[in-house]
Amino acid sequence: MEISLGEVAEILRGKLHGDPRIRIKGINSLEHASESDISFFFSQRYKDLLKATRACALIVPEQVQDFAGAQIVVDNAELAYAKLASLFAPEVPRYPGISDKAFVHNSAKIAQGVSIYPFVYIAERAEVAEGTILFPGVYIGKEVSIGSNTVIYPNVTILERTRIGSEVIIHAGTVIGSDGFGFVQHEGESIKIPQLGYVEIED
């Protein structure tokens, strides 16, 4: 991706001090930035890095004197960095539709635009809303509900009756909805206490 410094300033609603035609190809720390990168300066702790950085521009809460390049002054430099980083972050890859190597129970409800990779298992009466991505090895239990535009990475297990909201990210290998450790002792025997509730993760 490549973007002009003027466009960056407009996106961040910041005040640009410098040439708006400068082209930005990435975002990086002061220490690791190249001549085509924009960087950020939030704290005086990193003042010594300003003179040595190769970044062509900075995001700053106020203009700094020890940097010769362009600067974009914003109200909240950390928030501005987060917004800009999202532009350069790679998009989450999507499988085109539902893989024929996935198992989807015929009672499950799958909305339009859901991406289901191979080897996903979706059990009875589960519901998956539009735009959600399920990576390989995901297990969706009975009556699980998943909101829209959620991303569930490989080998996640979501057990029965769990409710997942919209725009949630669940990272690889996570288990949600498993039993708690509940037993009662009776005459030398451990009696399991059934887990009757469910897990809910909101939007």
Side-chain angles (χ1 to χ4, degrees), residues 76-188:
N76 186 330
E78 290 181 273
L79 177 61
Y81 167 75
K83 289 181 178 180
L84 186 57
S86 68
L87 293 179
F88 289 98
E91 291 187 10
V92 177
R94 301 184 65 90
Y95 189 88
I98 301 174
S99 169
D100 59 5
K101 294 182 179 179
F103 174 83
V104 180
H105 194 274
N106 58 18
S107 65
K109 295 181 180 179
I110 309 299
Q112 294 291 323
V114 172
S115 175
I116 300 179
Y117 277 79
F119 311 117
V120 169
Y121 184 99
I122 301 178
E124 297 97 310
R125 299 182 298 282
E127 298 183 7
V128 183
E130 63 275 2
T132 285
I133 303 174
L134 306 180
F135 278 87
V138 169
Y139 174 88
I140 306 297
K142 294 180 182 178
E143 299 178 4
V144 167
S145 172
I146 301 173
S148 60
N149 300 313
T150 284
V151 178
I152 302 178
Y153 283 102
N155 301 319
V156 168
T157 299
I158 302 178
L159 294 169
E160 288 69 24
R161 303 190 311 281
T162 296
R163 300 175 183 178
I164 307 294
S166 297
E167 299 186 0
V168 174
I169 298 173
I170 302 175
H171 286 287
T174 301
V175 177
I176 300 174
S178 59
D179 271 1
F181 188 76
F183 291 87
V184 61
Q185 296 295 317
H186 178 67
E187 297 180 352

